[in-house]
């Protein structure tokens, strides 16, 4: 499998992954034109997509979905409760483009299997995804308030993790957001802090050189260097050393990550 985090952050999110056959986009939280441009930058083509998968209905995940689905006649996969919210936001889609994928379901796209799982976030029924092809596995875990044991067990064994490190708790507490917003972000249906992300990863990683992309960083309440340093320090305290046992990588709200290919030796 090959993949790129096209964009990640509070302003828009999109993830591309392909197998030997099967190419999917997860979310399109930027304009259709921007997503097309980001795909081109990593050597992919929106016209070759097999589907768009939706994690949840928030605008930073679905802004460009309707445009792309209509332009390329793509099926859009979401669960029942999410579709109840999407109907008002995506515009007109043909009935055969509206596909159901419930949490816990696995669907094949060519040679690639996509497994969905439920997460805790303030949306109708948010989901994460694991992507499988032969022995390779990639997991996408963002927009969640906490990491349950069920989620840890589901994503464990991945070769690459796209994992949320949304905010620094002190930056959030001292920042300009209204208290109600701060309380929501810090809650079990909010977002993962840098510390929580690091602690969860110590219970997930196997230390075999897995790649971890720190994702969905808050523009107001985090910094790339701070997120990486916080997670790195927590992992190293548990014996996972960056560059040896794990490879920590950054994501960006405007620049895609280089296409990474998973090759199991």
């Amino acid at each position: 499998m090959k993949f790129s985090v096209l964009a990640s952050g509070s302003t828009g999110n999109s993830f591309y992954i392909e197998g030997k056959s099967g190419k999917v986009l997860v979310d399109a939280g930027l304009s259709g034109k921007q997503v097309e441009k980001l795909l081109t930058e990593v050597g992919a083509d929106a016209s070759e997509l097999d589907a768009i998968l939706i994690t949840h209905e928030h605008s930073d995940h679905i802004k460009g979905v309707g445009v792309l689905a209509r332009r390329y006649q793509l099926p859009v996969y979401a669960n029942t409760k999410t579709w109840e919210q999407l109907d008002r936001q995506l515009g007109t889609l043909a009935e055969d483009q509206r596909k159901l994928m419930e949490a816990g379901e696995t669907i094949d796209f060519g040679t690639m299997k996509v497994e969905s799982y439920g997460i805790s976030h303030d949306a109708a029924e948010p989901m994460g995804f694991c992507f499988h092809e032969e022995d390779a596995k990639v997991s996408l875990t963002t927009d969640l308030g906490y990491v349950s044991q069920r989620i840890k067990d589901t994503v464990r064994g991945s070769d690459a993790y796209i994992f949320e490190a949304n905010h620094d708790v002190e930056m959030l507490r001292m920042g300009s957001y209204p208290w109600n917003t701060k309380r929501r972000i810090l809650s079990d249906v909010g977002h993962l802090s840098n510390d929580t992300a690091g602690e969860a990863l110590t219970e997930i990683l196997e230390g075999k050189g897995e790649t971890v992309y720190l994702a969905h960083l808050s523009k107001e309440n985090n910094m790339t260097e701070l997120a990486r340093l916080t997670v790195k320090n927590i992992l190293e305290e548990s014996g996972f050393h960056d560059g040896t046992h794990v490879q920590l990588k950054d994501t960006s709200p405007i620049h895609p990550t280089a296409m990474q290919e998973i090759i199991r030796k």
Side-chain angles (χ1 to χ4, degrees):
M1 289 185 291
K2 296 193 296 185
F3 67 89
S4 170
V5 183
L6 300 177
S8 186
S10 52
T11 56
N13 298 273
S14 192
F15 175 72
Y16 171 79
I17 187 163
E18 66 176 66
K20 292 179 181 176
S21 65
K23 301 178 180 182
V24 300
L25 187 72
V26 182
D27 295 337
L30 304 92
S31 71
K33 185 175 182 179
Q34 286 175 299
V35 173
E36 289 171 327
K37 179 177 180 292
L38 293 170
L39 285 167
T40 299
E41 287 182 28
V42 297
D45 190 331
S47 67
E48 297 179 356
L49 290 171
D50 294 299
I52 302 175
L53 312 182
I54 305 297
T55 59
H56 63 292
E57 72 275 10
H58 290 169
S59 61
D60 60 325
H61 292 261
I62 65 163
K63 181 178 179 180
V65 171
V67 169
L68 291 169
R70 284 185 290 274
R71 183 171 296 163
Y72 299 104
Q73 293 299 297
L74 295 171
V76 178
Y77 287 78
N79 59 49
T80 301
K81 291 183 179 179
T82 300
W83 268 119
E84 291 172 359
Q85 305 299 317
L86 291 175
D87 283 337
R88 300 193 295 268
Q89 301 181 61
L90 297 189
T92 303
L93 290 179
E95 192 61 33
D96 63 357
Q97 291 179 273
R98 296 161 42 87
K99 303 292 186 181
L100 284 177
M101 183 178 191
E102 304 294 355
E105 189 174 357
T106 297
I107 295 178
D108 293 352
F109 294 92
T111 55
M112 182 169 60
K113 295 181 181 295
V114 182
E115 172 190 8
S116 62
Y117 60 92
I119 59 177
S120 173
H121 190 52
D122 59 345
E125 191 176 355
M127 300 192 298
F129 297 102
C130 292
F131 304 86
H132 306 262
E133 186 173 72
E134 297 176 348
D135 292 330
K137 180 178 179 181
V138 175
S139 61
L140 175 64
T141 310
T142 66
D143 294 79
L144 69 168
Y146 72 101
V147 189
S148 68
Q149 188 60 50
R150 175 183 53 79
I151 292 174
K152 293 172 187 174
D153 292 341
T154 298
V155 304
R156 187 178 289 113
S158 297
D159 300 279
Y161 298 86
I162 295 82
F163 208 85
E164 180 172 54
N166 176 258
H167 59 276
D168 174 80
V169 173
E170 289 307 310
M171 284 184 69
L172 176 63
R173 287 177 173 161
M174 299 296 291
S176 61
Y177 282 7
W179 172 241
N180 282 345
T181 303
K182 294 179 182 180
R183 185 168 58 185
R184 179 187 69 80
I185 294 170
L186 292 166
S187 76
D188 283 352
V189 292
H191 291 280
L192 293 186
S193 69
N194 298 335
D195 293 276
T196 304
E199 290 161 4
L201 285 165
T202 65
E203 299 181 29
I204 295 171
L205 294 172
E206 298 174 346
K208 298 178 180 179
E210 302 101 308
T211 305
V212 176
Y213 290 82
L214 300 178
H216 212 299
L217 273 65
S218 168
K219 183 178 179 181
E220 303 295 331
N221 301 303
N222 211 350
M223 295 182 289
T224 301
E225 296 80 5
L226 178 59
R228 191 186 329 110
L229 182 62
T230 302
V231 173
K232 177 181 178 181
N233 287 343
I234 292 171
L235 290 178
E236 291 192 346
E237 287 174 4
S238 294
F240 298 99
H241 294 278
D242 184 22
T244 304
H245 304 101
V246 62
Q247 312 293 324
L248 292 178
K249 293 185 178 289
D250 304 323
T251 62
S252 165
I254 56 175
H255 299 296
T257 63
M259 192 81 84
Q260 179 175 342
E261 185 172 6
I262 302 298
I263 302 175
R264 282 219 169 172
K265 298 179 181 179

